[in-house]
Amino acid sequence: MASSDFDGILLGMGNPLLDVSAVVDQEFLNKYDIKLNNAILAEDKHLPMYDEMSEKFTVEYIAGGATQNSIKVAQWMLQITGATSYMGSIGKDKYGEAMKKDATAAGVNVHYHEDESAGTGTCGVCVVGGERSLIANLSAANCYKVEHLKKPENWALVEKAKFYYIAGFFLTVSPESIQLVREHAAANNKVFTMNLSAPFICEFFKDVQVKCLPYMDYVFGNETEARTFSRVHGWETDDVEQIAIKISQLPKATGTYKRTTVITQGADPVVVAEDGKVKKYPVIPLPKEKLVDTNGAGDAFVGGFLSQLVHGKAIEECVRAGCYASNVVIQRSGCTYPEKPDFN
């Protein structure tokens, strides 16, 4: 394929957030009732934690948001400017400007809605022993409206794309936008992918998630999310391989593509289910002392995976690229990467 064939081939939609990241301590986690390897929306009790983090710990500010991370990593792996596009809502403030600059420098074609009333969303990233917990204060990210998507210059990105990726987190913000995109994908035989994203999405946004499932050609998630999904659906199994198969066999809106479920398990093998069968792929081993933090590991896996999927590569190549990208990201702070990938 010529590089022009990749123009806007992959579109992501999600919640653009500025990561406020710090290595904290167990006392801090306890104070704010935070569990590691989890992702939640901030409640009132969490709001003072952002300031407290910057007073007590060394804080880094990194452009983030699950879908935006994945799209940036896919863009980095592809090394073809403008191969990816992204939509979401930011505030008209310095954080929003920094985010736009960061994403554009990464080569992503970003079409943000810029909200007049709310500040750019932030995500507290609390790291203890390399494990992360995410507490998102969506703010402007929560203000995305389907009207923005319907604008001709934005809908053009949907028309141009052949692959779509939306993290489950966006279900809490604009299910109407997701509906338009998934229906377009189904009607035009394009590939629609989503992520389970967090236990709370599977649990408290089950109904909107279930409406999207028939349209999902690829479902991503980690072992904790998969087990929560199983419990919420009354499946009575904690076996990740069985859960992956069951998700892949749920009804589909169209028969164009069979559904593939891809579940990561940290340092344990990646589970891939399709056609009622499971394959497991080992991840690249990493000595504990090289682990900086797991923030963005799952996002990077998806980005690497999608970078090969849009090339029409076999599933094992997609997984290999996902494992490569996440291995790079966990050796750095947040979802960041060197200038060029070293993936062949």
Side-chain angles (χ1 to χ4, degrees):
M1 281 165 81
S3 63
S4 59
D5 295 335
F6 286 95
D7 189 37
I9 195 167
L10 173 62
L11 170 64
M13 296 186 77
N15 303 335
L17 303 172
L18 186 77
D19 282 354
V20 181
S21 179
V23 175
V24 301
D25 52 30
Q26 192 59 47
E27 191 187 345
F28 186 83
L29 297 184
N30 296 346
K31 177 177 177 181
Y32 288 104
D33 192 21
I34 296 165
K35 295 178 183 62
L36 289 174
N37 196 24
N38 196 14
I40 58 171
L41 294 177
E43 297 168 39
D44 288 346
K45 67 178 181 188
H46 296 113
L47 297 180
M49 66 170 265
Y50 302 94
D51 285 339
E52 190 179 326
M53 278 172 81
S54 57
E55 284 159 20
K56 276 195 180 164
F57 308 104
T58 309
V59 167
E60 285 186 275
Y61 296 92
I62 307 161
T67 306
Q68 185 165 247
N69 284 343
S70 296
I71 294 297
K72 276 166 56 184
V73 169
Q75 178 62 49
W76 172 67
M77 292 283 287
L78 283 162
Q79 292 287 311
I80 304 163
T81 302
T84 63
S85 310
Y86 175 81
M87 284 186 261
S89 176
I90 59 174
K92 285 201 158 178
D93 52 23
K94 62 174 190 203
Y95 288 156
E97 280 307 310
M99 190 100 76
K100 202 187 303 184
K101 206 170 139 188
D102 175 87
T104 306
V108 180
N109 179 18
V110 288
H111 284 214
Y112 294 123
H113 162 70
E114 294 184 35
D115 197 77
E116 302 283 347
S117 56
T120 296
T122 48
C123 182
V125 181
C126 299
V127 179
V128 174
E131 293 289 319
R132 61 89 178 128
S133 190
L134 309 175
I135 303 90
N137 181 17
L138 295 182
S139 194
N142 206 27
C143 302
Y144 191 86
K145 300 283 185 289
V146 72
E147 289 72 36
H148 179 264
L149 175 63
K150 287 177 174 171
K151 286 184 180 166
E153 64 272 28
N154 299 328
W155 188 253
L157 298 182
V158 179
E159 298 267 341
K160 191 155 61 165
K162 297 184 176 70
F163 296 82
Y164 306 90
Y165 175 65
I166 302 175
F169 296 119
F170 201 53
L171 288 166
T172 76
V173 172
S174 188
E176 309 79 20
S177 299
I178 300 176
Q179 185 179 349
L180 287 185
V181 172
R182 74 187 186 219
E183 287 175 356
H184 169 85
N188 295 278
N189 296 333
K190 296 175 175 184
V191 177
F192 183 77
T193 73
M194 283 192 77
N195 203 309
L196 300 178
S197 288
F200 86 87
I201 297 287
C202 303
E203 204 150 5
F204 304 115
F205 293 86
K206 178 187 171 187
D207 295 348
V208 279
Q209 190 181 56
V210 163
K211 286 196 180 109
C212 290
L213 267 158
Y215 294 87
M216 294 183 206
D217 300 308
Y218 288 83
V219 179
F220 297 97
N222 68 24
E223 74 280 39
T224 317
E225 295 148 11
R227 289 185 174 121
T228 304
F229 187 94
S230 172
R231 178 171 56 75
V232 167
H233 289 262
W235 286 352
E236 314 252 320
T237 178
D238 254 354
D239 182 325
V240 172
E241 295 180 34
Q242 286 308 308
I243 297 165
I245 288 177
K246 282 170 105 68
I247 292 173
S248 71
Q249 291 174 332
L250 290 168
K252 284 210 74 206
T254 74
T256 313
Y257 308 104
K258 54 183 187 286
R259 183 183 298 111
T260 304
T261 315
V262 185
I263 306 293
T264 58
Q265 310 187 87
D268 293 326
V270 179
V271 171
V272 177
E274 53 184 356
D275 284 337
K277 292 188 281 292
V278 159
K279 276 193 175 160
K280 292 198 294 193
Y281 300 90
V283 303
I284 305 162
L286 186 74
K288 187 81 174 143
E289 64 273 11
K290 282 197 164 175
L291 173 70
V292 174
D293 69 55
T294 56
N295 179 26
D299 302 334
F301 176 87
V302 172
F305 187 102
L306 294 172
S307 74
Q308 302 309 297
L309 191 68
V310 303
H311 270 293
K313 294 286 172 69
I315 194 104
E316 47 270 24
E317 278 303 289
C318 297
V319 173
R320 189 169 74 87
C323 290
Y324 164 76
S326 59
N327 180 266
V328 168
V329 162
I330 62 177
Q331 297 183 62
R332 303 165 67 94
S333 189
C335 195
T336 60
Y337 39 79
E339 194 187 340
K340 291 267 195 294
D342 176 22
F343 177 80
N344 45 24

